[in-house]
Amino acid sequence: MWQEMLALLDRIQVGWSAVDNVALRVLLQLLLVVGVSYGSYWLCHLLFRVLQRRLLRARPASLLAILLTSQAIPRALQVVPLVVAGILATRAISTNWLRATVLMLTRIYFVFICANVFAAAMNLAYRLHNWRRGVSASPQKGIFQVLSLLGYLFAAVGIVATLSGRDPTYVLSGMTALSAVLMLVFKDSILGLTAGVTLASNGMVRIGDWIEVPGTDADGEVIDIALTTVRVQNWDNTITTVPAYDLIAKPFKNWRGMSESGGRRIKRAILIDLDSIHFADEDELERWKEIDLIRDYLATKIREVRAYNAEHPSSATSVANARKLTNIGTFRAYCLAYLRANPAIHQRMTLLVRQLDPSDHGLPLEIYCFSSDTAWANYERIQSDLFDHFLAIMPEFGLTSFQVTSAAALRLGAQALPARLKAKA
């Protein structure tokens, strides 16, 4: 039928020149190829959508649903119009140069479709990998992106080979001559690509890790690891994108070890006024014996002190020769016993109560331990509860905390000074 239409067109001579007649033939042939090819794709796409809706309605959460919602099948359906266009080009196009052009375009587009289908297959493999592990994302995303990029690279080589009529190996050998220029131009992309693969293969960063990157605003949870970038959702819900190469070239902190260990460090010091530190007298020792946490500690220490003093008669004549308990030492023992009795403190990790170097701000008494709950809110509550108690119990041991006197306190003291002097007089 199509040949009869072309023959009829050849017999039409009135009002048409030979050039116009050839142009009309070319136009009709192109419209036939494009229209039938597009119609075949539209029909296949429509049938796929109908089948997809029915299958997803029957099994919305399954391996088949992941396959149907991927881009692999729709991209693969683009081969159908290519096949149709190739058949029409050989049978319905009589113009040699037009037939050759259409066939070349179909071959080029076929190579491009293959690259697209391969990229969609890599994305599908990534989703299946996550589905099997039961996670929404994994650090292997960069590896799948590298494979997709290689697919497009080979497709580009195939397209160039088709256009030039050369063998693909010849094109590859020609590209090696441009490798130095490409490495110079795409240096950042190549570094990011290498860093992304390194991060994914070594497990340095994973989805859900809490990381801090110095020199950037990144301080939060990793939500995506791409080929050249890492996206971090900060604790203020802002998003920071960090180049993957920065995580390789510069140090950064990953809190994953803290989360996996089950303990989060508490390291904070109480500043104690040096003037409140003194030897304990008998009344204080008797009062402290009523504290359950240090009753055994005091009994042991008092026996040791009395035994030492009994062996050294000079201890009765000079305080420097005697052994005595101090309020700061007893308070330190109380803090340690309190931490060991607290169920919110991880008992299998380092637990210390130590003195730091004295300064013009007093004597720092540092609490070093680990909470048994790593969640941020619970960790802050445990830490606050500890120091609420320690600060409140300090006066029981005759200790006071150090703080810089404010201007308002100085004014109040100056106003009260005449009254105090008058009362003493």
Side-chain angles (χ1 to χ4, degrees):
M1 181 179 178
W2 175 250
Q3 297 297 335
E4 294 176 356
M5 291 178 61
L6 292 178
L8 178 62
L9 185 63
D10 290 336
R11 291 193 293 271
I12 299 177
Q13 299 292 337
V14 180
W16 293 89
S17 65
V19 176
D20 293 336
N21 195 15
V22 172
L24 182 60
R25 287 171 58 89
V26 171
L27 179 61
L28 289 176
Q29 292 171 3
L30 284 177
L31 288 177
L32 174 67
V33 173
V34 174
V36 176
S37 301
Y38 179 78
S40 63
Y41 172 73
W42 180 82
L43 180 61
C44 293
H45 190 73
L46 179 62
L47 293 176
F48 170 71
R49 290 302 179 189
V50 173
L51 180 63
Q52 182 189 47
R53 284 195 294 268
R54 291 184 178 181
L55 293 177
L56 289 179
R57 194 179 301 114
R59 304 181 65 181
S62 63
L63 184 62
L64 180 61
I66 298 177
L67 177 62
L68 292 175
T69 55
S70 68
Q71 293 295 321
I73 296 179
R75 292 182 181 181
L77 289 177
Q78 296 178 8
V79 177
V80 175
L82 283 182
V83 175
V84 174
I87 294 174
L88 290 177
T90 56
R91 296 187 179 183
I93 298 180
S94 59
T95 307
N96 293 333
W97 67 267
L98 180 60
R99 184 190 311 114
T101 302
V102 172
L103 291 177
M104 177 176 288
L105 291 177
T106 55
R107 288 194 295 268
I108 292 174
Y109 193 51
F110 177 76
V111 175
F112 179 74
I113 289 176
C114 290
N116 266 345
V117 172
F118 181 75
M122 291 297 99
N123 184 51
L124 176 61
Y126 173 69
R127 294 178 60 188
L128 292 176
H129 174 73
N130 293 339
W131 178 77
R132 181 178 60 84
R133 297 179 58 191
V135 297
S136 59
S138 64
Q140 284 75 28
K141 183 177 181 180
I143 298 177
F144 290 99
Q145 288 181 329
V146 170
L147 295 176
S148 300
L149 183 61
L150 291 176
Y152 282 111
L153 178 61
F154 284 115
V157 173
I159 291 174
V160 173
T162 302
L163 291 174
S164 60
R166 300 278 189 172
D167 189 81
T169 57
Y170 178 82
V171 178
L172 286 174
S173 63
M175 291 182 62
T176 56
L178 299 176
S179 59
V181 178
L182 293 176
M183 291 181 63
L184 180 62
V185 174
F186 299 101
K187 181 186 67 173
D188 294 337
S189 300
I190 294 174
L191 290 176
L193 174 64
T194 306
V197 174
T198 303
L199 290 175
S201 59
N202 294 336
M204 298 173 61
V205 178
R206 300 174 185 170
I207 303 296
D209 285 355
W210 170 16
I211 67 172
E212 292 182 45
V213 185
T216 67
D217 296 331
D219 182 12
E221 183 177 336
V222 177
I223 59 176
D224 184 55
I225 303 175
L227 186 59
T228 58
T229 58
V230 176
R231 296 178 64 208
V232 179
Q233 182 173 11
N234 302 315
W235 300 124
D236 57 357
N237 290 328
T238 58
I239 304 295
T240 300
T241 301
V242 182
Y245 180 71
D246 284 354
L247 301 183
I248 299 295
K250 302 176 183 178
F252 71 97
K253 182 182 293 186
N254 192 331
W255 292 80
R256 186 201 313 156
M258 179 272 297
S259 301
E260 294 177 349
S261 67
R264 187 167 178 179
R265 188 180 68 174
I266 297 174
K267 183 182 178 182
R268 184 180 292 181
I270 301 174
L271 298 178
I272 297 177
D273 192 344
L274 292 171
D275 292 336
S276 64
I277 299 175
H278 60 266
F279 289 114
D281 55 29
E282 292 298 327
D283 293 337
E284 288 178 322
L285 292 176
E286 292 298 324
R287 188 172 70 252
W288 294 341
K289 287 180 182 179
E290 302 298 324
I291 302 175
D292 293 336
L293 290 176
I294 57 174
R295 181 180 293 115
D296 295 338
Y297 165 81
L298 282 176
T300 302
K301 283 296 182 180
I302 290 175
R303 284 198 303 268
E304 292 178 359
V305 168
R306 289 177 178 174
Y308 178 86
N309 293 336
E311 293 176 0
H312 298 79
S314 61
S315 61
T317 58
S318 175
V319 176
N321 296 328
R323 286 187 60 183
K324 285 181 174 292
L325 296 179
T326 61
N327 60 344
I328 183 65
T330 307
F331 177 66
R332 181 162 48 85
Y334 172 83
C335 292
L336 186 61
Y338 184 84
L339 293 174
R340 288 176 175 169
N342 195 327
I345 301 301
H346 205 300
Q347 301 299 320
R348 292 191 299 274
M349 293 186 175
T350 305
L351 198 155
L352 294 174
V353 179
R354 60 175 183 169
Q355 295 180 12
L356 302 181
D357 294 338
S359 66
D360 53 353
H361 289 85
L363 175 67
L365 187 68
E366 186 181 72
I367 308 298
Y368 191 103
C369 60
F370 290 81
S371 66
S372 56
D373 196 331
T374 59
W376 189 11
N378 297 335
Y379 162 79
E380 293 294 346
R381 176 184 55 80
I382 293 170
Q383 183 172 234
S384 298
D385 288 345
L386 283 179
F387 285 89
D388 287 348
H389 179 77
F390 291 153
L391 291 171
I393 202 67
M394 282 176 58
E396 293 293 325
F397 295 88
L399 295 170
T400 57
S401 59
F402 177 87
Q403 65 179 18
V404 178
T405 305
S406 64
L410 292 175
R411 286 196 298 270
L412 291 176
Q415 294 173 1
L417 183 60
R420 292 179 181 176
L421 294 176
K422 184 177 180 181
K424 289 182 179 180

